[in-house]
Amino acid sequence: MPADRAARGWLPVAAALFAAGWGANQFTPLAVVYRTQEHWPSVPVAAMFTTYLLGLLPGLLLGGPFADRLGRRRVVRLALVLSAAASALLAAAGMSQNAVYVSRLATGVAAGVILTAGTTWLEELSSGAKRPGAGARRATYATGGGFAAGALTAGVLAEWLPRPMVLPCLAHSLLALLVLGSTTAVPETASRSAVVPWAPHIARLRRAAVTHPRFVRVVLPASPAVFCAATVAYVVLPSLVADRVPGYAPVFSGLVTALTLAVGTAVQPLAVRLHHAHSARATIVSMVTVIGGLLVGACAVYGDSAGLVPAAAVLLGAGYGLTLASGLLEIERLATPKAVPSTAILYQGATYSGFLTPLLLAVTAGAAPYPALLAALAAVGLLCLVITAWFSRRSLP
C-alpha cells in the first residue's frame, strides 16, 4: 500500500519543483519593467537579479541535510510557504528597492531547498517506476518547465494586464499555495528511525571529487559558462534591444527566456551522445557553442537588432544545456557513487557563479560598450576552452 501511494504521489512533488523554477525566473521580465517603465538604473536591477544567488547557494547546501533530519515533506512545504511569501513581498514592494532585495534573497533560499529536498523526494517516490532514472528525468523537466513558464507567464501578464509589477507575483504566490495544498497527502520517504546527524553530510562533502585534477582543469574552467550563457541570453540581451520592440519589452523578454531554457533542456540528451570516455568532447562542443552565442549576441547589440537576439538565445541556450549536462557526466565518472550527489551540489555551486555576469557587465558598462564586453566574455570563454581542451585527455579516472 505505501508503494502504491508513493507511485501516485510524485506529481505534486514535481509541481513543487515547477513552482520553485517559476518563482526563480519570474523576475527576468519584471526586470525589464523596472528598467523601461520605472527607469531604475541598470546596476541595482542587475544586483537584484544576482541577490537570488546569495539565497540559492545556502538553500542548495542545507536543503538535503534538513530534509534528512526533518523529513522531505515538511522541508519542501516550508520552502513553498517561503516562496509564496517572497512573491507576495515582491508584489507589495512598489518602489522600495530594499523590499525587492529581500524578496529575491528569500526566493533563492526557497528555490535551493526545494531543488535539493524536492528532487530527492521525487526520486524516492519514483523508485518503483518501470523506466530507470524516471525520478531524475521528472525533476529535470519539472524544474526546466517552471523556469520557462515563470518567465513567459510573467512577461505576458506584465505586458497585457494592469499592475505589471503586482499581478505576475501574485500569480506565482497563488500557484505555490495551491501546490502546498496538493502535497499534504504525499507520503514521506525519509527514514523515521532516528535523527540523521550532520557528520555524514560533512564526510560526503570531504569525499567529493572536487580535488581531482580533472575536476580542477577540465570541469571547473567550463562551469561558469553554464549560467553565464543563460543569463546573457535572457537578462542582458533583451534589455539592450528593448527600444526595437517598443511596448512589447516584457513579453519579448519572457519569450527569449522561455526559448533559451527550452533549448537548454532539449539538448541535454545530446551531451550523453557526445560524451567520450577518453576525452572531454561534450564539454568542448558546449564551450564552442557558448562562445558562438556570445559573438552573435555582441552582433545583435552592435546592430541594435531584436531579430538576432532569438538566434543568440538558441545558441546560448544550447551551450547552457550542453555545458551543464557534460559537467554532470564528468562528475559521474570522477566521483564514487556515494560522493556523486555531494560533488554535483558543489559543481552546481560553481556553475551559479555565472549569475554574476549581468552585474559584472552592468558595472563595467561605463568603461566599454556592451558589444565589446560581450566579445571580451567570448575571449575569456576561448581561454577556458583552451585549458579544457589541453587537459581533456589527461587525468582520466
Side-chain angles (χ1 to χ4, degrees):
M1 183 64 179
D4 294 338
R5 290 181 63 201
R8 295 194 302 268
W10 69 267
L11 192 57
V13 182
L17 291 167
F18 182 88
W22 180 306
N25 235 21
Q26 67 177 345
F27 186 78
T28 303
L30 299 184
V32 176
V33 176
Y34 290 130
R35 289 283 309 277
T36 59
Q37 298 184 20
E38 303 300 326
H39 306 292
W40 287 11
S42 60
V43 173
V45 173
M48 292 168 189
F49 180 84
T50 307
T51 302
Y52 165 80
L53 178 64
L54 300 179
L56 180 70
L57 293 180
L60 288 172
L61 290 172
L62 298 176
F66 275 120
D68 287 344
R69 291 172 65 87
L70 303 175
R72 320 287 191 232
R73 181 170 54 199
R74 181 183 299 178
V75 169
V76 169
R77 286 171 59 80
L78 286 173
L80 283 170
V81 172
L82 178 61
S83 183
S87 288
L89 176 60
L90 186 60
M95 295 300 293
S96 172
Q97 295 188 10
N98 290 334
V100 177
Y101 281 116
V102 174
S103 169
R104 291 294 291 162
L105 184 66
T107 298
V109 173
V113 170
I114 294 173
L115 291 179
T116 50
T119 297
T120 302
W121 196 13
L122 181 56
E123 290 177 348
E124 291 169 348
L125 289 168
S126 303
S127 59
K130 295 181 180 179
R131 295 180 61 189
R137 285 192 299 273
R138 289 166 177 172
T140 298
Y141 291 127
T143 306
F147 283 141
L152 183 57
T153 304
V156 169
L157 294 178
E159 183 68 55
W160 284 300
L161 291 181
R163 308 298 297 272
M165 295 184 297
V166 175
L167 291 182
C169 307
L170 293 181
H172 172 258
S173 210
L174 177 61
L175 172 67
L177 293 176
L178 290 173
V179 173
L180 175 68
S182 72
T183 58
T184 303
V186 179
E188 176 61 69
T189 57
S191 173
R192 302 180 184 179
S193 58
V195 174
V196 179
W198 290 98
H201 300 289
I202 298 173
R204 283 197 291 269
L205 290 176
R206 289 175 178 172
R207 289 198 302 267
V210 294
T211 58
H212 193 287
R214 188 169 183 83
F215 184 90
V216 175
R217 298 168 182 171
V218 175
V219 179
L220 201 58
S223 61
V226 174
F227 287 104
C228 171
T231 55
V232 166
Y234 61 69
V235 177
V236 177
L237 295 181
S239 63
L240 294 177
V241 298
D243 61 311
R244 306 303 297 173
V245 284
Y248 296 97
V251 72
F252 178 71
S253 174
L255 287 170
V256 170
T257 303
L259 176 64
T260 304
L261 296 170
V263 171
T265 302
V267 301
Q268 290 186 30
L270 178 60
V272 179
R273 304 186 67 175
L274 291 171
H275 187 62
H276 192 273
H278 302 290
S279 70
R281 183 170 61 188
T283 302
I284 292 172
V285 171
S286 68
M287 290 292 291
V288 171
T289 308
V290 172
I291 293 168
L294 289 171
L295 293 176
V296 173
C299 293
V301 177
Y302 180 79
D304 199 19
S305 170
L308 270 181
V309 168
V314 169
L315 282 173
L316 290 169
Y320 147 74
L322 289 173
T323 309
L324 178 61
S326 63
L328 293 173
L329 288 169
E330 287 283 347
I331 283 170
E332 286 182 4
R333 68 177 177 181
L334 286 178
T336 62
K338 289 185 178 180
V340 166
S342 299
T343 309
I345 289 174
L346 294 175
Y347 166 69
Q348 289 173 345
T351 65
Y352 284 120
S353 63
F355 269 104
L356 297 171
T357 304
L359 179 60
L360 176 65
L361 292 175
V363 169
T364 57
Y370 265 98
L373 294 175
L374 292 172
L377 272 182
V380 173
L382 181 60
L383 176 61
C384 294
L385 172 62
V386 170
I387 295 172
T388 297
W390 178 261
F391 292 103
S392 63
R393 296 182 181 274
R394 305 180 184 187
S395 304
L396 292 168

